[in-house]
Amino acid sequence: MKSLVTGGAGFIGSHLVDALVAAGDTVVVLDDLSTGRLANLAGVADRVTFLRGSVAVRADVDQAMAGCDRVFHQAAVASVPATIDAPVDTHFVNLGGTLNVLESARAAGVQRVVFASSAAVYGETDGTACVEAATPRPQSPYAVEKLAAEHYVRVWAPLYGLPTVALRYFNVFGPRQDPSSPYSGVISIFADRLRRGLVPTIFGDGGQTRDFVYVADVVRANLAAGALDAPSGLVCNVGRGESTSLNALYGHLAALLGGPATPGYQPVRAGDIRHSLADISVARAALGYAPTVSVADGLAALVAGG
Ligand code: NAD
Ligand code: UD1
């Protein structure tokens, strides 16, 4: 099996590449290295074909797609605030790039496209678990881009007979999540600041909640989606189904890494969602998905460097 992983030098993509290589796949990575790093692929460098290029450029996608059986489309500008700062640029990557991947896959006769969508599509909720049938209420350019891209992915199945799956990841964490920008995932930022003896900042009162899911579980969901018999535009949540407040998250990490009892607080971030929690019944039924790593164990593994 030959698999293309777009965004394969990034946090989630590189863990997926490791798993595909371990399963015996021939793997091609297309990545522009805007946030990804070649170091993330160091362990498999001799077994992966790496192409530096953009999903926003059709010729780059076609080159990477040649001869592939399936595609795991992870490449995107993954930060909500980054899309608020530059919505036109991120539109062409997050939406235009997905359309390029679908059209290139269709032209190449690919058997399966698995797309990294996001819990952000749901928008504001009352804190109850999100079900896929709920009406999405995106509230940032990022969420609009992911939702529109997801619609393309879903529609390409019945329209063109291209088997697709869209996985709505909740808040993924684990090793290799890059903490180096203010746009990075909160766990990587908190851990990095605590390690350097700096006080982390919570935007808002810390009562906002997220469903944090360990990267290994997200990889398992992708592998299951990539192996489904006849997916036809399946859309499903990938989280743990467990809610953690930012204050509780900070408490966990400060206990593991040492740090002040309370972090700094700043105003709520624009475009932020208050609560985000997954109902994972569809993933359980359709993919046999069951999260295996608790938040506490995942944080401990992250801190231990593994
Ligand atoms: P990441 O930034 O580590 O990975 C994204 C990768 O895509 C990077 O390697 C980056 O260099 C690459 N990339 C960006 N623009 C590109 C372009 N134009 N062409 C080619 N490559 C490009 O982020 P991640 O957390 O690993 O996210 C992976 C995917 O999962 C993204 O689609 C993201 O939107 C989605 N997602 C992530 C989370 C999360 O909590 N991390 C949650 C929901 C969805
Ligand atoms: C994250 C992902 C996004 C994904 C979504 C799915 C990243 C960078 N973003 O968005 O790709 O689609 O989950 O649910 O991986 N916060 C602080 N202090 C900080 C940084 C963040 O308090 O220093 C807060 C934010 O205001 C927010 C929460 O932490 O309330 C989570 O923020 P972040 O990690 O950026 O993730 P999301 O915006 O939820």
Side-chain angles (χ1 to χ4, degrees):
M1 192 75 84
K2 184 173 176 184
S3 294
L4 167 61
V5 183
T6 71
F11 159 49
I12 300 169
S14 65
H15 286 282
L16 180 56
V17 169
D18 286 348
L20 290 168
V21 167
D25 271 29
T26 301
V27 180
V28 179
V29 169
L30 175 66
D31 200 300
D32 69 354
L33 300 181
S34 50
T35 54
R37 297 186 311 139
L38 282 178
N40 288 339
L41 295 171
V44 289
D46 54 342
R47 279 166 291 164
V48 168
T49 302
F50 177 80
L51 296 173
R52 184 168 187 171
S54 175
V55 289
V57 177
R58 175 67 190 266
D60 291 353
V61 181
D62 285 347
Q63 189 189 350
M65 192 74 66
C68 287
D69 303 296
R70 53 186 187 176
V71 182
F72 296 89
H73 177 38
Q74 307 294 311
V77 176
S79 155
V80 173
T83 69
I84 294 174
D85 289 352
V88 176
D89 294 346
T90 59
H91 169 93
F92 287 113
V93 175
N94 291 355
L95 184 55
T98 303
L99 198 50
N100 278 336
V101 166
L102 288 169
E103 278 300 83
S104 180
R106 184 163 77 91
V110 160
Q111 295 163 18
R112 178 73 36 83
V113 175
V114 180
F115 170 60
S117 186
S118 168
V121 302
Y122 290 110
E124 207 51 82
T125 67
D126 59 4
T128 53
C130 298
V131 292
E132 292 81 351
T135 304
R137 291 191 165 72
Q139 61 185 52
S140 64
Y142 175 81
V144 171
E145 291 153 9
K146 283 291 181 186
L147 180 60
E150 189 189 273
H151 279 310
Y152 275 133
V153 167
R154 187 179 48 76
V155 161
W156 253 237
L159 205 55
Y160 299 113
L162 177 66
T164 64
V165 181
L167 301 177
R168 291 179 174 170
Y169 305 163
F170 281 65
N171 287 59
V172 190
F173 73 104
R176 300 184 196 156
Q177 192 167 26
D178 182 2
S180 66
S181 119
Y183 292 152
S184 303
V186 64
I187 289 182
S188 67
I189 293 177
F190 280 9
D192 180 60
R193 289 188 71 84
L194 288 169
R195 279 193 180 107
R196 293 193 290 134
L198 301 171
V199 180
T201 299
I202 287 184
F203 300 121
D205 63 4
Q208 71 265 48
T209 58
R210 291 293 184 274
D211 187 341
F212 293 106
V213 56
Y214 195 64
V215 65
D217 284 324
V218 175
V219 167
R220 278 187 274 274
N222 271 277
L223 296 181
L228 267 187
D229 263 354
S232 182
L234 173 71
V235 176
C236 68
N237 293 338
V238 176
R240 273 193 58 72
E242 195 181 303
S243 180
T244 303
S245 73
L246 265 285
N247 283 328
L249 171 72
Y250 175 78
H252 274 304
L253 277 169
L256 286 166
L257 286 163
T262 53
Y265 287 90
Q266 281 186 18
V268 174
R269 209 172 63 176
D272 229 25
I273 287 166
R274 180 79 176 161
H275 297 297
S276 180
L277 173 65
D279 181 313
I280 54 174
S281 324
V282 171
R284 278 189 197 281
L287 303 178
Y289 168 77
T292 59
V293 184
S294 68
V295 174
D297 286 350
L299 291 177
L302 176 68
V303 166

